[in-house]
Amino acid sequence: MATKLFFFISCCLLALPGMAQKSKKQPKPQVLVYGHGADAFSAAMQSAQSGVETYWIVDSTNIGGSLIQGGIKSISSNHLLDVGTWAFFLKGIANVKEISDSALLAAKRSIAPRIAQNVFENSVDTIKRLSYKKNLTVTQIQKSGKGWQVAFSNGEKIKVKAVVDASQNVALLNLMKEKEIKFQEHLLKESAKKIDYDSSLYRTGIAVGQVGEKIFNIPLKNIQPDSTLRNYFVTRTKDELFSSDIPEHIPLLMLRAQACGAAAAYCAFFNTTSDAINVRTLQGELLAFKSFMIPFQDIGLSDIHYSQIQRVGATGVLQGIYKNNGKMFLFAADSLVSSKEIEPVMKQLYTRSQIWFKDKNIATFTLNDLLDLIKYVATRGEELNTEVEKGWSKRFKFKGTYDLTRKLTRREFAVLVDSYLQPFHVRVNLKGELQY
């Protein structure tokens, strides 16, 4: 029951405006978010929407950081990767009811500070399980069991199960008594590297980004500055891409922060520690709130199959391709599939498939080939053919007609594999290694 609740808390849960600042007693908070920038907003929003009472301490008079300062902003980063809380913010800027690629692109070209501030302020007043206070600072923080004891400048003290530090210069880390703790920059800097399929870390992606010619995902372990600091997550680092909230870095900061909020909520919800996070459960929660794990720039939120493609992409069964001298990272949904392409990862995921692939060299998978593979691995019978045929257009929403001889596109392959073999359900550890 708990896992289902964490997965399906609706992002549309609303409360009456102004409830966050009312004097009536609030439920006991389980997650603390600290900071005033767009990343603090993102972390607090996601933590609360994941079903956890969240207390946001805003160390300023205003919410929004650099987005509400100066003149109109135009942001070109995260090209074709406008997802998650960043997409939610752009939707507010565009003042539209539904997310569309054109609306998000138009919003990025003209972000007026006053409108941005209104989006931030109006949003936090309508999110259930989120309370906040402005003009406060944290004066003390220390470990307390699995969680943290925190004191504020107004004399208030609380105990929470997890903390998200979205402050400038990682202020909370500097307040901690554990002087031996060092910021593990060698781990954090790995987050801005290209997708490397020779390393399994890509499987643990919890946010995506594109800045300049860098297109990448951020591994789960990179939102923790030190492995000994359990249930403490940071939205910013000393890395140039995460050190400040200059406009071009805002999308990346918000998506990274969204992952921090979800991870903190996970620890609080399941009363566990950050080293015990189930990577796939956390990724599933982020995907449910429209954040991505793999930076496919040709499969956006408007694509009807983006969830299935993201899940299969996170397993490595179908891998992305860098194009245009590394300036684009594509899924190539209309391309065909060969046994050489999928065999290595399929064998890792399903021991039984090793027999099926023996002596097979399929240049282009047909529907019949895939159904035969699914039947063998999942021990299904001929009824599978009837089931797929019946659901071809309505359930799977495929174009064209059901034909066993048709050559499958990567899109069709991904959707059917996700539905019947569910490779995303195979657990991975924090290194991305498969766990059976």
Side-chain angles (χ1 to χ4, degrees):
M1 287 294 293
T3 302
K4 288 183 178 179
L5 180 60
F6 186 81
F7 257 72
F8 297 108
I9 294 294
S10 169
C11 65
C12 295
L13 289 173
L14 301 179
L16 292 175
M19 72 166 285
Q21 301 269 25
K22 286 185 178 180
S23 59
K24 103 176 177 178
K25 187 175 180 181
Q26 297 289 334
K28 184 178 179 181
Q30 299 183 69
V31 169
L32 171 73
V33 176
Y34 186 54
H36 65 271
D39 50 333
F41 165 82
S42 178
M45 175 182 176
Q46 183 59 58
S47 174
Q49 289 182 328
S50 287
V52 172
E53 295 295 336
T54 302
Y55 193 24
W56 180 13
I57 295 300
V58 183
D59 58 338
S60 175
T61 57
N62 295 307
I63 298 170
S66 67
L67 281 181
I68 65 169
Q69 301 165 359
I72 291 177
K73 312 293 195 296
S74 178
I75 297 177
S76 61
S77 57
N78 265 52
H79 180 54
L80 299 177
L81 293 174
D82 298 320
V83 298
T85 51
W86 168 241
F88 172 87
F89 169 74
L90 291 178
K91 178 172 169 281
I93 294 294
N95 193 24
V96 295
K97 292 184 179 180
E98 299 293 335
I99 290 176
S100 69
D101 295 336
S102 58
L104 298 182
L105 182 59
K108 287 174 72 171
R109 291 172 177 168
S110 181
I111 301 177
R114 183 58 182 270
I115 296 177
Q117 185 172 359
N118 288 340
V119 172
F120 288 130
E121 298 282 355
N122 293 338
S123 297
V124 296
D125 280 337
T126 60
I127 299 173
K128 265 192 173 182
R129 300 183 180 86
L130 176 61
S131 57
Y132 68 98
K133 287 185 179 179
K134 295 181 179 179
N135 293 320
L136 280 184
T137 57
V138 173
T139 58
Q140 187 179 27
I141 179 171
Q142 58 186 21
K143 286 293 295 179
S144 178
K146 292 181 181 179
W148 296 89
Q149 185 81 36
V150 188
F152 307 116
S153 54
N154 64 351
E156 180 184 1
K157 292 183 179 180
I158 64 170
K159 183 178 179 180
V160 292
K161 294 181 179 179
V163 170
V164 177
D165 188 350
S167 61
Q168 293 182 350
N169 301 317
V170 201
L172 297 187
L173 194 65
N174 298 326
L175 291 175
M176 294 179 187
K177 293 182 178 180
E178 294 86 347
K179 300 297 183 182
E180 72 277 7
I181 293 173
K182 295 181 180 179
F183 214 88
Q184 296 188 20
E185 288 296 324
H186 66 290
L187 296 178
L188 297 163
K189 288 182 178 179
E190 291 179 2
S191 59
K193 290 183 178 179
K194 288 183 175 182
I195 301 292
D196 179 9
Y197 285 109
D198 290 329
S199 167
S200 56
L201 265 184
Y202 74 89
R203 291 191 178 121
T204 70
I206 40 80
V208 296
Q210 175 275 325
V211 179
E213 295 186 2
K214 295 181 178 179
I215 306 168
F216 50 89
N217 70 354
I218 300 173
L220 172 57
K221 71 175 185 178
N222 290 49
I223 59 175
Q224 296 183 82
D226 191 290
S227 59
T228 64
L229 287 180
R230 293 173 179 172
N231 297 14
Y232 170 76
F233 305 92
V234 294
T235 64
R236 305 179 184 214
T237 76
K238 296 176 183 178
D239 186 282
E240 61 179 1
L241 291 180
F242 310 113
S243 61
S244 65
D245 55 351
I246 64 174
E248 285 298 300
H249 296 173
I250 293 296
L252 183 56
L253 274 175
M254 288 188 70
L255 294 176
R256 179 187 172 95
Q258 182 177 5
C260 289
Y266 181 103
C267 294
F269 191 91
F270 293 112
N271 193 27
T272 189
T273 52
S274 48
D275 58 324
I277 289 176
N278 182 319
V279 177
R280 292 304 191 215
T281 300
L282 178 63
Q283 290 175 323
E285 177 74 353
L286 288 165
L287 189 57
F289 286 93
K290 296 180 169 48
S291 194
F292 282 5
M293 300 164 278
I294 303 293
F296 295 135
Q297 292 174 292
D298 54 342
I299 306 293
L301 289 175
S302 59
D303 192 296
I304 200 168
H305 297 123
Y306 80 83
S307 293
Q308 298 97 319
I309 289 172
Q310 278 290 315
R311 285 193 291 267
V312 170
T315 68
V317 171
L318 291 175
Q319 301 178 357
I321 306 163
Y322 279 100
K323 293 284 189 178
N324 193 18
N325 294 321
K327 296 178 182 179
M328 293 291 291
F329 187 74
L330 308 177
F331 178 70
D334 294 329
S335 297
L336 304 179
V337 181
S338 69
S339 59
K340 182 179 180 181
E341 176 184 4
I342 67 165
E343 183 177 350
V345 176
M346 291 292 283
K347 284 183 175 179
Q348 293 176 22
L349 288 165
Y350 313 105
T351 303
R352 187 174 171 83
S353 72
Q354 296 180 16
I355 299 174
W356 189 90
F357 278 105
K358 187 177 182 181
D359 300 325
K360 279 188 172 64
N361 184 18
I362 303 172
T364 53
F365 255 78
T366 64
L367 176 58
N368 188 62
D369 292 327
L370 179 56
L371 293 182
D372 188 54
L373 172 60
I374 293 172
K375 290 173 191 174
Y376 191 84
V377 172
T379 60
R380 293 291 302 266
E382 292 302 316
E383 82 285 348
L384 179 65
N385 293 49
T386 303
E387 188 176 318
V388 172
E389 181 177 12
K390 184 177 179 180
W392 188 259
S393 59
K394 290 186 177 180
R395 177 186 173 187
F396 302 117
K397 303 186 187 308
F398 291 147
K399 297 178 180 179
T401 58
Y402 172 90
D403 180 355
L404 288 175
T405 65
R406 71 179 287 132
K407 295 180 179 179
L408 284 183
T409 64
R410 284 162 63 94
R411 175 188 299 277
E412 293 162 346
F413 188 96
V415 172
L416 291 173
V417 166
D418 179 69
S419 298
Y420 290 107
L421 294 182
Q422 300 181 324
F424 189 71
H425 286 190
V426 179
R427 293 183 63 161
V428 296
N429 60 23
L430 292 178
K431 295 180 180 180
E433 299 165 338
L434 299 175
Q435 294 182 308
Y436 305 98

